[in-house]
Amino acid sequence: MPSQKANKYGTAVEYKMAEQYNLDLARASWKDVDASDGTAHEIKAAMHEHADGQPGTFKIYRQYHEKLQREGVYYVFAAYRIGGRGVQVLAHGRRRASRLPTVRWHGGGEHRETQQAKIAIADVL
């Protein structure tokens, strides 16, 4: 299971990106927000660097990603760092789910009952 702190920071980034891209939060199992034109978006946040010095990655889950591709959904990717009581978004960008780099699916997404893949921040931002 993801840590509570990671969830807290990820949620803070989601709110910032929803405001940045003029999106309305619309929680569903497979998407986070909708644009005013009805286009669905999934927001992915990654800490730019972990405490151990390793670079951050975005996690995507196969079952949801395949639905996002079929539905023509956009991902909004945001790299952040912790700053004071909140987060500072360092870089962000938007791209269609069908336009991601090639990923390698593997186990590790058991809590979502699907495979997962990790995408390097530099590969999408």
Side-chain angles (χ1 to χ4, degrees):
M1 292 295 269
S3 76
Q4 287 182 339
K5 283 188 179 183
N7 282 338
K8 172 184 161 186
Y9 298 137
T11 299
V13 171
E14 286 178 0
Y15 280 105
K16 287 178 181 274
M17 292 299 93
E19 184 177 331
Q20 175 74 34
Y21 288 91
N22 195 27
L23 304 170
D24 295 318
L25 292 175
R27 301 260 182 237
S29 63
W30 61 280
K31 65 176 181 173
D32 290 322
V33 296
D34 286 317
S36 58
D37 67 0
T39 307
H41 288 66
E42 172 69 4
I43 300 171
K44 291 294 180 183
M47 190 178 301
H48 81 291
E49 183 178 87
H50 296 286
D52 64 2
Q54 292 295 311
T57 56
F58 298 105
K59 284 186 187 178
I60 62 172
Y61 296 91
R62 188 174 201 160
Q63 176 183 356
Y64 303 116
H65 176 68
E66 289 172 353
K67 181 172 178 101
L68 295 170
Q69 285 181 307
R70 284 191 308 272
E71 300 289 330
V73 173
Y74 285 93
Y75 279 105
V76 173
F77 293 101
Y80 70 91
R81 71 174 164 210
I82 300 166
R85 293 184 174 202
V87 295
Q88 177 186 12
V89 175
L90 302 172
H92 59 85
R94 185 179 92 139
R95 65 170 60 198
R96 285 206 181 269
S98 60
R99 305 286 296 165
L100 295 188
T102 303
V103 298
R104 288 185 41 205
W105 298 108
H106 59 85
E110 290 85 11
H111 69 285
R112 299 210 182 180
E113 299 176 358
T114 187
Q115 292 179 306
Q116 73 174 5
K118 294 180 182 179
I119 302 172
I121 292 170
D123 287 347
V124 291
L125 295 180

